[in-house]
């Protein structure tokens, strides 16, 4: 198989399967892992795929939504560093809402065991917290398997009558003009309600989200009180965040 044909096949397999590991690609193509890794580097440079930890996923677009399992292993060190800083936002007696997401899951893992009430629209987060005897409440709703988030009328009804001291909010994109955005309309609606019901909004997002726009905008930058991230935002976004009076905290990994 010629290199061009091999790369074309890699793109087809990654796209058809919504992601594929280096090991599976090497086995299927009958080439070494080193060869596959070189091909993936070339394909990423060409904008045809995006590499992840141990493999590759299709190149994202405004309508693309990766699964939780795909996102869980991406930028893990950054997410853990963000979580360590974010946990300091919790105060005694707080009602703390944790949005569904891989970064908020890392926050759940490092939160203290007492002193606050947790609320979430992610059953996995609820399980993590409840195993440590933390008082945790679920919004209820329809489970989206792709992101493990609860959405829909039941979740919306819960949020309509609830109030939170602190919201740890996730996003797929942070953009100077588009604000915060996500691929799914139902999740966007729930996120908008979370923001409306929270006294303090702390956006937790690694730098891969900078200058990205997804399908549905759910909040303006001005709706955010603080951004905890792993790198300084690029100039235009940094200026927009400053104009919106968002405190940006960049943590080291």
């Amino acid at each position: 198989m010629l290199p061009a044909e091999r790369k074309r096949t890699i793109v087809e397999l990654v796209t058809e399967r919504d992601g594929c590991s280096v090991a599976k690609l090497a086995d299927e193509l009958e080439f070494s892992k080193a060869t596959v890794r070189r091909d993936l580097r070339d394909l990423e440079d060409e904008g045809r795929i995006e590499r992840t930890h141990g493999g590759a996923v299709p190149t994202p677009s405004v309508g693309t939504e990766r699964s939780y399992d795909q996102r869980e292993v991406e930028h893990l060190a950054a997410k853990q560093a963000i979580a360590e800083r974010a946990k300091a936002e919790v105060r005694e007696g707080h009602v703390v809402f944790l949005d569904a997401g891989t970064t908020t899951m890392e926050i759940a893992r490092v939160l203290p065991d007492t002193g606050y009430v947790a609320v979430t629209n992610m059953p996995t987060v609820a399980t993590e917290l409840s195993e440590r005897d933390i008082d945790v409440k679920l919004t209820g709703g329809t489970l989206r398997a792709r992101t493990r988030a609860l959405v829909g009328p039941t979740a919306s009804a819960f949020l309509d009558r609830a109030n939170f001291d602190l919201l740890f909010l996730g996003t797929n994109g942070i953009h100077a003009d588009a604000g915060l955005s996500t691929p799914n309309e139902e999740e966007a609606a729930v996120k908008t309600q979370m923001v409306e019901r929270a006294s303090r909004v702390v956006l937790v997002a690694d730098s891969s989200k900078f200058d990205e726009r997804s399908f549905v905008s759910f909040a303006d930058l001005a709706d955010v009180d603080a951004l905890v991230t792993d790198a300084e935002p690029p100039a235009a976004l940094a200026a927009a965040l400053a104009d919106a009076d968002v405190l940006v905290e960049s943590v080291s990994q």
Side-chain angles (χ1 to χ4, degrees), residues 8-24:
R8 184 170 60 251
T9 302
I10 288 174
V11 173
E12 290 172 355
L13 290 171
V14 168
T15 302
E16 288 171 1
R17 298 174 185 179
D18 201 22
C20 205
S21 69
V22 169
K24 288 182 179 178

Side-chain angles (χ1 to χ4, degrees), residues 43-150:
L43 289 168
E44 184 175 51
D45 289 342
E46 296 167 11
R48 297 169 67 188
I49 57 93
E50 185 167 311
R51 285 189 296 163
T52 65
H53 178 76
V57 295
T59 303
S61 67
V62 294
T64 298
E65 184 176 33
R66 296 179 192 163
S67 70
Y68 183 92
D69 289 339
Q70 288 173 326
R71 293 181 290 112
E72 188 175 26
V73 296
E74 296 175 348
H75 314 292
L76 182 57
K79 292 172 182 177
Q80 290 171 335
I82 290 167
E84 284 294 334
R85 166 58 189 85
K87 71 179 183 181
E89 294 283 335
V90 178
R91 301 287 183 268
E92 183 77 21
H94 263 174
V95 177
V96 181
F97 196 105
L98 290 95
D99 186 11
T102 55
T103 305
T104 49
M105 184 66 212
E106 293 303 323
I107 295 173
R109 290 182 171 126
V110 298
L111 283 179
D113 291 344
T114 59
Y116 62 98
V117 175
V119 189
T120 185
N121 67 323
M122 187 174 179
T124 315
V125 165
T127 300
E128 168 68 28
L129 296 172
S130 64
E131 287 178 349
R132 287 148 47 199
D133 292 327
I134 296 168
D135 186 3
V136 57
K137 303 180 187 302
L138 269 171
T139 62
T142 301
L143 180 65
R144 294 195 68 236
R146 191 162 189 79
T147 59
R148 303 186 188 176
L150 294 170

Side-chain angles (χ1 to χ4, degrees), residues 214-241:
S214 202
F215 180 49
V216 186
S217 293
F218 62 85
D220 296 327
L221 296 181
D223 294 319
V224 176
D225 294 293
L227 165 63
V228 183
T229 185
D230 64 313
E232 293 297 326
L237 179 57
L241 288 163

Side-chain angles (χ1 to χ4, degrees), residues 152 155-157 159-160 164 188-198:
S156 179
L159 290 165
D160 271 342
F164 317 111
V190 170
K191 286 175 182 286
T192 297
Q193 284 186 281
M194 293 175 194
V195 171
E196 291 172 348
R197 308 304 294 184

Side-chain angles (χ1 to χ4, degrees), residues 150-217:
L150 294 170
V151 297
T154 302
S156 179
F158 178 98
L159 290 165
D160 271 342
R161 62 180 188 270
N163 298 290
F164 317 111
D165 297 295
L166 174 65
L167 166 63
F168 289 124
L169 178 67
T171 187
N172 292 73
I174 313 170
H175 193 274
D177 298 320
L180 311 182
S181 56
T182 194
N184 182 264
E185 292 172 284
E186 287 187 301
E187 287 204 40
V190 170
K191 286 175 182 286
T192 297
Q193 284 186 281
M194 293 175 194
V195 171
E196 291 172 348
R197 308 304 294 184
S199 297
R200 179 169 173 79
V201 177
V202 177
L203 181 64
V204 288
D206 66 75
S207 55
S208 70
K209 312 295 176 59
F210 292 165
D211 289 338
E212 293 293 323
R213 290 189 299 177
S214 202
F215 180 49
V216 186
S217 293

